[in-house]
Amino acid sequence: MTEIVDISAYLPENRQAPGRLSVVPLELVSRAPNELVLPELTVRDERQLALLDGGAGDLMADPAGGGGPGAGDDRVRAAWLFGLTNVAFHGQRMLRTVADLLGHPLPHLLIRIGTHESERRWGGGHYRVAAQSYDPAEPGHALPTGEVHLGGGSSFVPTAPDGDRYFAAPAHNLAIIYHEIGHHVSRHTADFRFNRLRPAAAQTNKKIPLDEGTSDILAAILLDTPDIYGWHRAGIPTWDRRRRALNPRWTMADFAGGSTDPHADGMVWASACWSAREQVAAAGYSRSRFDRMLLRGLELSFEISAPVRLSVPGEPEETDERTAKALKERRYLAGLLEAMLRADPELTNPVLAGMAAHGIRPGATNAALRRAARAADVAL
């Protein structure tokens, strides 16, 4: 049995602010003092403060400027409760959108707010599966299908010219919420690191640029803007990679490869997807047609490239030549593009046009695309 309840959340409008504060419906399975269980996901605040008395309290809360140091107990509690409901609404919205486009739901997701608080103040988020290395699971958390961890916040963001401040709690930040859930989408579609072929408790949390870039384009789609981090990074110019804006034309000439931060290289893929999506719209198709093509392409890319099994299950880096080759090819932007074209051949021309503007075409390695793009820049 589920119930429909009214909650407080931000709607993704005005990306120079957290959003428009709204009352929205939520389909709920159950609630506890620090937890909301929905059909698609569970959201839990890990900090030691009961947000819902007996699990039956009011779900309407004021954002209270994000809470934060010096806010006072009542405002902190209100901000934490708002974070719980805000994450629940946007998690349900994103997972239902993806399920509608794919034609099937993804595995249940757990989102934990206020994690790692004993280690440091943390203003970010990440997606984790059960791994033997690279940020392993905490005791008692098996992460069988993946978890999103959101920090409690670490700093304030100026939100108006008059100097008003907002504590940058990740649970209040739609861009962070959507980006991290995007990793759950990739894990259960493309599965770039072949985690489903590994033992359940010996997966890997390493991300590649396609994973990070896909999370950024999914966030942009849900927010309906290429400037997904425009609120809390408004002081950073759009041409600066730290802004992670997709509207500058990031191309393969900007692609570094190797051990570079995958977020930076992922911007090339996300920026190209945004251009391709706009080309699809200009050609008279709906943008959701591109969204479906992208998601189905993610699924097809796994079906096309996955080995029968990993030769050395559970090891962080496989040594078998066939497995190593398959994992290397999973990094190719052209490979995912080819899978997308197979998913919806009718969109081939506008998608290729959008991708070409960023130096991406089928049938080439990342290194080859980068050389061609940099040569073209020199020629200009």
Side-chain angles (χ1 to χ4, degrees), residues 129-183:
V129 292
Q132 294 178 327
S133 62
Y134 185 30
D135 197 13
E138 300 170 46
H141 293 278
L143 306 165
T145 60
E147 291 182 1
V148 167
H149 297 171
L150 300 176
S154 61
S155 61
F156 288 86
V157 176
T159 59
D162 61 6
D164 287 350
R165 299 197 308 167
Y166 197 106
F167 189 63
H172 291 216
N173 191 319
L174 309 191
I176 293 177
I177 295 167
Y178 286 140
H179 176 91
E180 298 309 334
I181 296 175
H183 287 306

Side-chain angles (χ1 to χ4, degrees), residues 72 151 210-211 237 342:
L210 274 173
D211 200 335
R342 288 181 58 174

Side-chain angles (χ1 to χ4, degrees), residues 221-357:
I221 289 169
L222 270 293
L223 292 170
D224 195 28
T225 176
D227 191 13
I228 49 182
Y229 297 101
W231 165 51
H232 64 296
R233 298 183 184 178
I236 301 174
T238 56
W239 49 259
D240 189 320
R241 283 181 183 240
R242 293 173 299 163
R243 176 74 171 251
R244 299 259 292 280
L246 308 184
N247 43 341
R249 185 168 288 183
W250 301 104
T251 75
M252 288 304 295
D254 304 301
F255 194 92
S259 58
T260 306
D261 177 7
H263 296 86
D265 278 348
M267 287 169 52
V268 176
W269 174 250
S271 180
C273 283
W274 185 264
S275 294
R277 189 173 188 255
E278 292 304 294
Q279 287 285 340
V280 165
Y285 300 97
S286 68
R287 288 178 174 85
S288 63
R289 179 86 174 260
F290 174 86
D291 304 342
R292 182 178 291 105
M293 178 195 204
L294 170 63
L295 289 165
R296 183 58 185 142
L298 289 167
E299 284 193 322
L300 281 175
S301 72
F302 176 85
E303 297 169 13
I304 293 167
S305 63
V308 175
R309 64 178 181 84
L310 291 184
S311 57
V312 189
E315 290 191 5
E317 294 295 341
E318 291 70 30
T319 55
D320 177 84
E321 184 177 344
R322 288 172 300 175
T323 298
K325 181 176 183 291
L327 284 169
K328 181 179 180 180
E329 291 176 350
R330 297 298 281 134
R331 297 175 175 270
Y332 294 165
L333 278 60
L336 181 49
L337 171 58
E338 291 160 13
M340 290 169 58
L341 298 178
R342 288 181 58 174
D344 194 341
E346 189 177 343
L347 299 185
T348 294
N349 289 339
V351 169
L352 285 180
M355 291 284 175

Side-chain angles (χ1 to χ4, degrees), residues 177-223:
I177 295 167
Y178 286 140
H179 176 91
E180 298 309 334
I181 296 175
H183 287 306
H184 187 66
V185 176
S186 289
R187 161 64 183 87
H188 294 286
T189 54
D191 195 9
F192 292 110
R193 296 294 300 169
F194 298 139
N195 274 323
R196 75 188 70 173
L197 303 181
R198 304 170 188 265
Q203 302 176 56
T204 177
N205 278 307
K206 291 185 177 180
K207 305 293 192 297
I208 64 173
L210 274 173
D211 200 335
E212 297 294 349
T214 296
S215 287
D216 271 356
I217 185 59
L218 290 175
I221 289 169
L222 270 293
L223 292 170

Side-chain angles (χ1 to χ4, degrees), residues 90-169:
H90 290 287
Q92 185 166 82
R93 176 178 182 244
M94 183 170 187
L95 291 172
R96 287 191 171 180
T97 298
V98 169
D100 286 345
L101 292 169
L102 283 175
H104 63 82
L106 297 181
H108 197 86
L109 172 65
L110 172 62
I111 301 181
R112 300 169 59 208
I113 303 172
T115 53
H116 313 297
E117 287 285 283
S118 62
E119 304 165 21
R120 64 193 188 283
R121 280 196 171 276
W122 181 40
H126 58 213
Y127 178 73
R128 292 294 181 256
V129 292
Q132 294 178 327
S133 62
Y134 185 30
D135 197 13
E138 300 170 46
H141 293 278
L143 306 165
T145 60
E147 291 182 1
V148 167
H149 297 171
L150 300 176
S154 61
S155 61
F156 288 86
V157 176
T159 59
D162 61 6
D164 287 350
R165 299 197 308 167
Y166 197 106
F167 189 63

